[in-house]
């Protein structure tokens, strides 16, 4: 053996040791140790050199991706011997339904392996971390990992939250329009029964909040909240019914009492005179 990378470590009548630095694939093969006796004695060993896979790379992602579009992410690594194993994960949960491809490199000793993850973009995947993990015996149980954060754009999701489940006349109700989308939706639009809010003095819009004070029966109707972003628009409705003020009768207490009444009677008196009587009697 004549190579600057090979060094004689120990030499005695009982042992001959060498070291090989910066090992390459060309170092693989059969090594022979000979003892020059009569006859010559030899011992042979086959050295296997592992090809360490290169750091993987994820391709195929273009940001942003619209909801509903098909995504194909490919993870590739070269130089492994034997062929490395590739596994996919989404937020630390392994994805099983993937395609695996193994190709022999030009040196005909190592392999390039690739795996493709194919799925439809969903709003729930926005912000998810997709990782490609390469396992190989040369990595000493420390896999190589490539990661990609997904960015999914989607139309707004709209919901109305009411501050009062039983609005009555004279009260105030606050309707909050919650909208979630990417990009973030523009300021929301409030309407009533398909038109503008009829009483701006009592119906005040502040951002996503609609406040209606001094409720009355004319406020009954359907209130719509609409949110939009560059991807699209969405809306939801709330039906307002103003109820009569609920009166609670207070209990009455009957207090017995003794009452004295004074009655006055007026009587008309008539004086009657007769010829046979000399006097007039009045009763």
């Amino acid at each position: 053996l004549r190579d600057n990378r090979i060094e004689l470590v120990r030499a005695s009548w009982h042992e001959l040791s060498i070291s090989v630095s910066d090992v390459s694939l060309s170092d693989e093969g059969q090594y022979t140790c000979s003892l020059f006796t009569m006859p010559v004695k030899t011992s042979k060993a086959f050295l296997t050199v592992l090809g360490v896979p290169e750091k993987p790379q994820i391709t195929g992602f273009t940001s942003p991706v619209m909801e509903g579009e098909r995504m194909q992410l490919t993870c590739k690594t070269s130089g492994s011997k034997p062929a490395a194993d590739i596994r996919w994960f989404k937020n630390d949960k392994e994805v099983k339904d993937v395609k695996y491809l193994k190709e022999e490199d030009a040196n005909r000793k190592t392999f390039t392996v690739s795996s493709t993850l194919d799925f439809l973009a969903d709003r729930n995947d926005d912000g998810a971390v997709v990782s490609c993990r390469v396992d190989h015996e040369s990595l000493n149980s420390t896999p190589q990992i490539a990661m990609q954060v997904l960015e999914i754009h989607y139309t707004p999701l709209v919901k109305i939250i009411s501050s009062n489940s039983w609005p009555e006349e004279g009260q105030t109700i606050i309707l909050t329009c919650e909208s979630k989308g990417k990009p973030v939706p523009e300021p929301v639009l409030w309407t009533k029964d398909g038109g503008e809010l009829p009483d701006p003095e009592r119906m005040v819009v502040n951002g996503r909040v609609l406040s209606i004070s001094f409720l009355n029966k004319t406020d009954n109707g359907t209130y719509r909240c609409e949110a939009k972003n560059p991807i699209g628009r969405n809306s939801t409705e709330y039906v307002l019914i103003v109820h009569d003020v609920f009166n609670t009768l207070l209990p009455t207490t009957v207090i017995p009492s003794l009452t004295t009444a004074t009655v006055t009677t007026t009587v008309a008196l008539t004086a009657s005179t007769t010829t046979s009587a000399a006097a007039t009697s009045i009763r």
Side-chain angles (χ1 to χ4, degrees):
L1 297 174
R2 289 179 175 83
D3 194 309
N4 293 332
R5 297 178 298 110
I6 300 176
E7 179 183 356
L8 183 61
V9 177
R10 182 181 177 85
S12 69
W13 294 106
H14 306 288
E15 180 182 339
L16 187 64
S17 301
I18 62 172
S19 68
V20 183
S21 60
D22 193 16
V23 175
S24 65
L25 293 173
S26 61
D27 294 323
E28 180 170 288
Q30 183 172 275
Y31 288 74
T32 303
C33 172
S34 300
L35 180 61
F36 292 97
T37 59
M38 292 298 293
V40 177
K41 297 180 179 179
T42 62
S43 179
K44 301 178 184 295
F46 190 90
L47 175 64
T48 300
V49 178
L50 299 177
V52 181
E54 297 176 356
K55 184 175 178 60
Q57 292 184 340
I58 297 177
T59 59
F61 179 75
T62 56
S63 180
V65 178
M66 306 303 169
E67 184 178 32
E69 288 185 357
R70 181 169 295 277
M71 296 181 62
Q72 287 187 334
L73 303 181
T74 300
C75 178
K76 180 183 291 187
T77 178
S78 301
S80 61
K81 176 180 173 293
D85 182 37
I86 296 181
R87 299 163 65 190
W88 285 96
F89 294 84
K90 184 189 291 183
N91 288 340
D92 298 328
K93 184 178 180 181
E94 185 170 3
V95 181
K96 295 288 189 179
D97 188 15
V98 296
K99 297 178 181 179
Y100 181 84
L101 179 63
K102 178 178 70 173
E103 296 177 323
E104 198 174 55
D105 292 335
N107 59 18
R108 304 186 66 85
K109 293 182 179 180
T110 58
F111 295 90
T112 294
V113 292
S114 62
S115 179
T116 301
L117 178 64
D118 190 336
F119 63 98
L120 294 178
D122 185 86
R123 65 181 60 198
N124 296 323
D125 292 330
D126 182 50
V129 178
V130 173
S131 58
C132 162
R133 171 175 166 174
V134 175
D135 292 291
H136 193 263
E137 51 189 299
S138 66
L139 299 177
N140 297 324
S141 301
T142 305
Q144 293 181 337
I145 299 176
M147 294 186 296
Q148 177 66 61
V149 179
L150 302 183
E151 183 181 3
I152 312 297
H153 283 193
Y154 54 93
T155 56
L157 181 65
V158 187
K159 179 173 64 174
I160 294 179
I161 299 177
S162 172
S163 64
N164 193 341
S165 60
W166 187 269
E168 296 179 351
E169 288 184 305
Q171 293 181 343
T172 297
I173 190 172
I174 297 176
L175 302 179
T176 302
C177 180
E178 289 189 350
S179 59
K180 180 182 178 182
K182 196 166 185 177
V184 177
E186 300 172 2
V188 299
L189 174 65
W190 283 98
T191 57
K192 180 193 177 187
D193 296 331
E196 296 182 354
L197 300 176
D199 192 344
E201 293 185 359
R202 292 188 305 108
M203 300 176 178
V204 179
V205 177
N206 185 9
R208 302 177 184 277
V209 177
L210 169 61
S211 176
I212 307 176
S213 57
F214 304 107
L215 289 172
N216 59 66
K217 293 299 181 63
T218 64
D219 297 327
N220 289 346
T222 301
Y223 292 79
R224 176 189 294 266
C225 167
E226 181 181 283
K228 64 178 181 178
N229 63 9
I231 310 302
R233 63 181 62 198
N234 205 348
S235 63
T236 188
E237 296 179 343
Y238 175 84
V239 178
L240 174 62
I241 300 177
V242 179
H243 301 273
D244 295 329
V245 178
F246 183 69
N247 292 324
T248 303
L249 295 179
L250 298 177
T252 57
T253 303
V254 178
I255 302 176
S257 61
L258 180 63
T259 303
T260 301
T262 301
V263 179
T264 301
T265 303
T266 301
V267 180
L269 302 179
T270 302
S272 220
T273 304
T274 60
T275 57
S276 58
T280 299
S281 65
I282 301 175
R283 183 177 181 182

